[in-house]
């Protein structure tokens, strides 16, 4: 069985690390890796492949940046050409990026079955490009691998045939188990930044709903500055966010205890997550990684796809519309742990996915 896997963004590299590692150990699976280039910055892409042990992609389209339509269209053209050349039995896509949608559409139009890992997630906010991507991808997929019972319920409610849907757990949990110990052994980021475990706040901000809304972005920056008076803040800044901060002259809103650093490799990021007092983010993946490492998290969005973590008290949704509310919730979340839950499987999701795919041969 030949599987062509489409990836393009940091969270997908992490998921692919676990799944591709499992595929490589299976007789009967040949994987061809296609990188769209959606994350093109060296620190956001190349270092992840190296650290995670992902084979160098067979194809790299080098398509990143620009408006959603232009990016997705260019990726669609490039992926279609490769599918016609490779003639895979399945196309595998992850998550909800433009690369995901382009890969799924290209395959579906060529009548190649699509397998979607991380299917069934819903924010119910159609203003988010990611929500459109994930809904469309689910409805043109032939195999849908849901990470949780909630995700399965969403698929059922949308009328997707039950025989297409499989609750396999979360491959990011596989990755957390696989790389968590490696980070402790190899990363020296705490020493490099002179950090003490449990005595800093980690933050990441990159979603357009925050970075493209000046008021929301200012609220976040002011609250980070206020919170940094209690604990220093470490912020690995996404290249796009850094550009916006410079263009808008917003660095003046940040106090001296907000330490902006370049994007870090995956093992360094895991190390920072594992030892933070609390994490403030608008990333979907980091919300889960915080939970995997038992770190409290606040999510600077209006909603989340990972509602299980909110219900259990591990995650707190804080729309960035009020500076004082962000600051209060962030500081209150320090060492505020949720109820023990296990919604994302046993760390063997990748093996279940491989088994189900092989059964289709």
């Amino acid at each position: 069985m030949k599987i062509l896997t489409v990836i393009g963004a940091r969270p997908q590299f992490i998921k692919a690390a676990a799944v591709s590692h499992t595929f490589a150990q299976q007789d009967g699976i040949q994987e061809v890796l296609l990188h769209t280039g959606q994350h093109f910055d060296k620190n956001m892409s190349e270092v992840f492949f190296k650290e995670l042990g992902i084979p160098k992609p067979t194809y790299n389209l080098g398509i990143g940046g620009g408006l959603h339509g232009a990016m997705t269209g260019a990726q669609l053209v490039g992926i279609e050409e490769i599918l016609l050349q490779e003639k895979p039995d399945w196309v595998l896509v992850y998550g909800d990026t433009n690369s995901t949608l382009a890969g799924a559409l290209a395959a579906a139009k060529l009548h190649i079955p699509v397998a979607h890992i991380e299917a069934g997630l819903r924010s119910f906010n159609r203003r988010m490009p990611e929500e459109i991507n994930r809904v469309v991808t689910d409805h043109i997929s032939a195999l849908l691998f849901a990470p949780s019972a909630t995700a399965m319920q969403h698929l059922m409610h949308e009328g997707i045939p039950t025989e297409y849907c499989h609750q396999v757990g979360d491959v990011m949990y596989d990755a957390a188990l696989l790389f968590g110990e490696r980070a402790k052994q190899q990363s020296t980021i705490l020493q490099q930044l002179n950090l003490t475990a449990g005595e800093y706040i980690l933050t990441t901000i990159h979603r357009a709903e925050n970075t493209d809304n000046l008021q929301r972005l200012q609220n976040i920056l002011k609250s980070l500055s206020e919170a940094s008076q209690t604990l220093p803040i470490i912020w690995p800044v996404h290249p796009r966010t850094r550009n916006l901060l410079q263009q808008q002259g917003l660095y003046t809103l940040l106090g001296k205890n907000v330490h902006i650093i370049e994007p870090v490799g995956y093992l360094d990021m895991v190390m920072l997550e594992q030892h933070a007092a609390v994490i403030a983010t608008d990333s979907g993946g980091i919300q889960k990684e915080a939970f995997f490492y038992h770190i409290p998290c606040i999510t600077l969005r209006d909603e989340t796809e990972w509602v299980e973590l909110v219900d259990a008290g591990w995650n707190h949704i804080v729309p960035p519309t009020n500076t004082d509310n962000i600051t209060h919730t962030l500081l209150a979340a320090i060492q505020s742990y949720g109820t023990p839950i296990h919604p994302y499987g046993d760390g063997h999701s990748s093996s279940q996915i491989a088994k189900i795919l092989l059964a289709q041969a």
Side-chain angles (χ1 to χ4, degrees):
M1 172 185 289
K2 181 190 283 188
I3 298 173
L4 188 140
T5 297
V6 178
I7 55 176
R10 172 192 178 274
Q12 295 167 335
F13 307 154
I14 300 166
K15 297 162 195 170
V19 176
S20 296
H21 177 74
T22 299
F23 283 176
Q25 298 175 328
Q26 297 287 329
D27 291 331
I29 294 181
Q30 174 194 355
E31 185 181 31
V32 177
L33 205 60
L34 186 159
H35 180 14
T36 64
Q38 185 167 334
H39 274 175
F40 54 92
D41 181 89
K42 183 174 181 178
N43 286 339
M44 298 292 287
S45 181
E46 289 184 19
V47 69
F48 278 82
F49 284 91
K50 181 178 179 182
E51 288 187 347
L52 299 179
I54 304 173
K56 185 177 180 180
T58 306
Y59 300 96
N60 190 330
L61 300 181
I63 300 169
L67 297 174
H68 286 282
M71 181 193 296
T72 308
Q75 291 174 353
L76 183 58
V77 171
I79 293 168
E80 183 179 59
E81 291 176 354
I82 292 167
L83 294 181
L84 289 169
Q85 177 182 332
E86 288 286 344
K87 297 180 173 59
D89 298 296
W90 285 85
V91 168
L92 180 66
V93 296
Y94 292 87
D96 55 20
T97 66
N98 290 337
S99 301
T100 305
L101 179 60
L105 280 173
K109 288 178 178 291
L110 293 174
H111 309 293
I112 302 170
V114 177
H116 184 200
I117 291 178
E118 211 172 66
L121 300 185
R122 298 292 182 267
S123 67
F124 301 102
N125 178 2
R126 290 293 180 95
R127 294 181 60 84
M128 291 176 58
E130 295 88 350
E131 182 78 352
I132 303 301
N133 292 346
R134 63 173 73 104
V135 170
V136 173
T137 299
D138 279 344
H139 282 267
I140 58 177
S141 293
L143 278 178
L144 297 98
F145 297 118
S148 66
T150 302
M152 281 289 285
Q153 290 170 6
H154 293 156
L155 297 174
M156 298 303 100
H157 289 160
E158 292 177 15
I160 295 175
T162 55
E163 61 266 28
Y164 294 0
C165 306
H166 302 268
Q167 183 180 338
V168 296
D170 196 325
V171 296
M172 283 199 70
Y173 186 36
D174 295 20
L177 296 176
L178 188 62
F179 296 109
E181 286 303 315
R182 187 181 299 180
K184 292 177 182 178
Q185 295 167 6
Q186 297 184 14
S187 174
T188 60
I189 191 69
L190 297 187
Q191 294 91 324
Q192 292 174 34
L193 299 178
N194 196 27
L195 296 174
T196 301
E199 295 186 10
Y200 63 90
I201 296 166
L202 178 66
T203 191
T204 71
I205 306 296
H206 77 278
R207 285 192 183 269
E209 64 195 75
N210 288 328
T211 58
D212 291 355
N213 184 313
L214 184 58
Q215 187 58 60
R216 289 170 73 102
L217 186 56
Q218 287 177 331
N219 290 341
I220 292 170
L221 298 180
K222 290 175 183 177
S223 66
L224 292 178
S225 183
E226 291 173 3
S228 72
Q229 297 176 33
T230 300
L231 284 177
I233 290 176
I234 304 301
W235 184 2
V237 176
H238 189 286
R240 182 174 178 276
T241 307
R242 179 184 289 274
N243 290 338
L244 285 168
L245 293 176
Q246 292 173 339
Q247 292 167 8
Q248 299 292 336
L250 296 175
Y251 279 107
T252 57
L253 297 178
L254 295 173
K256 64 179 181 179
N257 286 329
V258 179
H259 303 286
I260 287 182
I261 63 174
E262 292 293 326
V264 296
Y266 181 57
L267 297 182
D268 283 344
M269 191 63 185
V270 166
M271 194 69 171
L272 289 171
E273 291 170 358
Q274 287 175 325
H275 295 92
V278 63
I279 296 173
T281 187
D282 59 11
S283 162
I286 290 177
Q287 294 172 48
K288 285 188 299 174
E289 288 171 341
F291 167 68
F292 296 150
Y293 300 128
H294 305 106
I295 302 299
C297 180
I298 75 162
T299 297
L300 299 168
R301 288 171 51 188
D302 298 324
E303 70 284 304
T304 182
E305 299 78 31
W306 307 105
V307 294
E308 305 91 353
L309 304 183
V310 177
D311 292 342
W314 286 99
N315 193 1
H316 307 272
I317 303 300
V318 187
T321 55
N322 181 284
T323 301
D324 291 340
N325 189 35
I326 300 171
T327 306
H328 173 76
T329 308
L330 178 57
L331 295 178
I334 295 173
Q335 295 185 332
S336 175
Y337 304 107
T339 304
I341 56 172
H342 302 280
Y344 303 127
D346 60 1
H348 295 93
S349 302
S350 300
S351 296
Q352 291 191 54
I353 289 168
K355 182 178 179 180
I356 293 167
L357 279 165
L358 283 170
Q360 312 301 313

